[in-house]
Amino acid sequence: MTGWLAEVRSGFAELSPSVFPYRRFVLALVLGVMGGALFYALRLPLPWMLGAMTVCTLAALARVPVAAPGVIRSPMSAIIGVMLGSGFSPEIVWQVPQWLVPLGGLVLFMAACGLSVVWYYRRIGGYDWTTAFFSGMPGGLVEMVIYGEERGGDARVIALVHSARILLVVLTLPFIIQFSQGISLDRPVGGISIFDAPLTSELWLVVCCFAGAFLGHVLRLPAKTLLGCMIASAAVHMSGLSDFKPPYEIVNTAQLVLGVAIGCRFAGTAGRVVWRVLALSVGSTAILLFWMTLFAVTFSHLSGFSTVTLILAYSPGGLTEMALIAVALQAEVAFVAAFHIIRVFLTMIAAPLSFRWLGGGRAP
């Protein structure tokens, strides 16, 4: 409890005007709102997240003074986590045995992605072995940066590669689904309006956010705020205590801020480095999307799950972003979220073990 309270106090300290770049953040938010409004007007998928992300990425690459420090992600992740947890129901428990076949596909998919993308960054990108290895692992941005830096890799490049992977997958996949499947992803993601929701919905949202943040800290979960709040919300919904949904205005605001945060990751980095990483990431993303499609189609026939659901479950994008797409599609959110959590955990365990097994820095 003491450690969590210290973390909360540290977070508030980071919001101090002497530390937090409010002017650059406000500029990023304004640009994000403009991008979201443009995407919304054009009826493009997930407009508030993708619009904000696109415009802020372009602004960062153009050296516009934008910034979105990491401290802003936690409260937004908490809201998204609660929303994702609201997609769980008591019936989920009985569906778990049906997940075994697609789970086997996930393991094979991760192996295929890891082998091919590590080779790509080593041979095509010319990175040293350690940097190439942890850049090519399919998931866990923070964990791969830490693992790679501890073993002598270039932490800046690894972080940029994974940021670019998430950016490109999130930017391309919704369009692929929307235009290939004829499914609209431009509708609001979330529950009813804040003006129509009962007061208990907001109270449950606050309770789940605080309880989930504490739970994530205690359990030391990866993406602890998001997953902790998702678990807390899922517990409330699966136990039948409430069936509340966070108001869509709050969810859309969280999407907007998260989109801004992803786009601003490239701010302050030398343009030459960013453009090279983005160029290489186009190739690696194409490899990842190829494997994703192949395994999704194959295991859709073997398991009975829809191809779109498995595409979202196998997608090498971020948990938050893919789950939001699942919500917009009214797909099986619990299934998609669970597979991304499993992917992150497996990557965290397998990456350092595989690196050691391959001989560490002595590998070719």
Side-chain angles (χ1 to χ4, degrees):
M1 184 69 174
T2 303
W4 181 68
L5 291 175
E7 191 174 294
V8 172
R9 285 195 296 269
S10 175
F12 278 110
E14 291 182 47
L15 295 174
S16 167
S18 61
V19 177
F20 194 92
Y22 279 101
R23 289 185 180 180
R24 288 187 290 159
F25 179 56
V26 169
L27 176 58
L29 279 180
V30 170
L31 292 174
V33 170
M34 292 170 60
L38 177 62
F39 271 48
Y40 183 81
L42 296 175
R43 299 185 66 81
L44 295 176
L46 290 175
W48 297 109
M49 182 173 70
L50 296 189
M53 182 169 41
T54 301
V55 172
C56 287
T57 298
L58 294 174
L61 294 176
R63 295 186 176 277
V64 176
V66 292
V71 67
I72 66 168
R73 290 180 61 91
S74 289
M76 301 302 109
S77 295
I79 293 170
I80 298 299
V82 172
M83 184 201 69
L84 298 180
S86 69
F88 285 70
S89 66
E91 292 75 24
I92 293 294
V93 176
W94 305 109
Q95 297 176 14
V96 171
Q98 302 172 23
W99 297 2
L100 295 179
V101 172
L103 271 176
L106 177 66
V107 174
L108 295 175
F109 165 74
M110 290 174 60
C113 290
L115 289 171
S116 55
V117 177
V118 169
W119 177 90
Y120 173 83
Y121 279 117
R122 182 76 176 111
R123 298 303 181 190
I124 307 301
Y127 293 150
D128 64 85
W129 167 252
T130 304
T131 301
F133 183 88
F134 289 101
S135 295
M137 290 295 100
L141 184 153
V142 174
E143 293 81 15
M144 293 308 104
V145 171
I146 293 172
Y147 287 160
E149 188 173 30
E150 287 176 347
R151 290 156 179 81
D154 189 329
R156 180 188 60 173
V157 169
I158 296 171
L160 282 174
V161 165
H162 284 287
S163 296
R165 168 178 60 83
I166 294 170
L167 175 74
L168 292 176
V169 170
V170 173
L171 275 177
T172 55
L173 194 58
F175 291 96
I176 292 172
I177 292 174
Q178 177 158 310
F179 295 120
S180 67
Q181 303 293 322
I183 301 171
S184 176
L185 292 175
D186 62 349
R187 59 179 178 269
V189 175
I192 61 177
S193 169
I194 194 171
F195 300 106
D196 300 323
L199 179 60
T200 52
S201 292
E202 282 84 356
L203 292 176
W204 274 117
L205 174 62
V206 172
V207 168
C208 287
C209 282
F210 277 96
F214 177 69
L215 182 66
H217 174 83
V218 170
L219 297 180
R220 298 185 178 181
L221 298 172
K224 58 184 179 182
T225 303
L226 177 77
L227 293 185
C229 293
M230 185 177 74
I231 292 171
S233 177
V236 169
H237 286 83
M238 293 180 70
S239 65
L241 288 174
S242 175
D243 61 352
F244 80 96
K245 303 284 184 182
Y248 67 76
E249 292 93 346
I250 295 177
V251 173
N252 286 344
T253 299
Q255 289 184 73
L256 172 71
V257 176
L258 287 173
V260 167
I262 294 173
C264 289
R265 276 179 175 162
F266 299 96
T269 305
R272 178 179 58 83
V273 175
V274 173
W275 283 114
R276 184 171 188 273
V277 168
L278 285 175
L280 284 170
S281 294
V282 171
S284 65
T285 300
I287 294 171
L288 292 169
L289 293 179
F290 165 77
W291 287 121
M292 175 198 71
T293 304
L294 178 63
F295 277 87
V297 171
T298 301
F299 280 86
S300 174
H301 290 296
L302 295 175
S303 66
F305 285 91
S306 72
T307 300
V308 170
T309 297
L310 288 179
I311 281 176
L312 295 176
Y314 290 167
S315 168
L319 162 62
T320 306
E321 295 80 15
M322 293 306 103
L324 284 170
I325 297 173
V327 172
L329 285 171
Q330 297 180 348
E332 299 180 59
V333 178
F335 177 85
V336 172
F339 269 56
H340 280 276
I341 294 167
I342 292 168
R343 174 173 60 84
V344 171
F345 272 114
L346 288 178
T347 304
M348 287 172 59
I349 295 168
L353 294 176
S354 300
F355 183 76
R356 187 187 311 160
W357 178 69
L358 291 170
R362 297 187 297 277

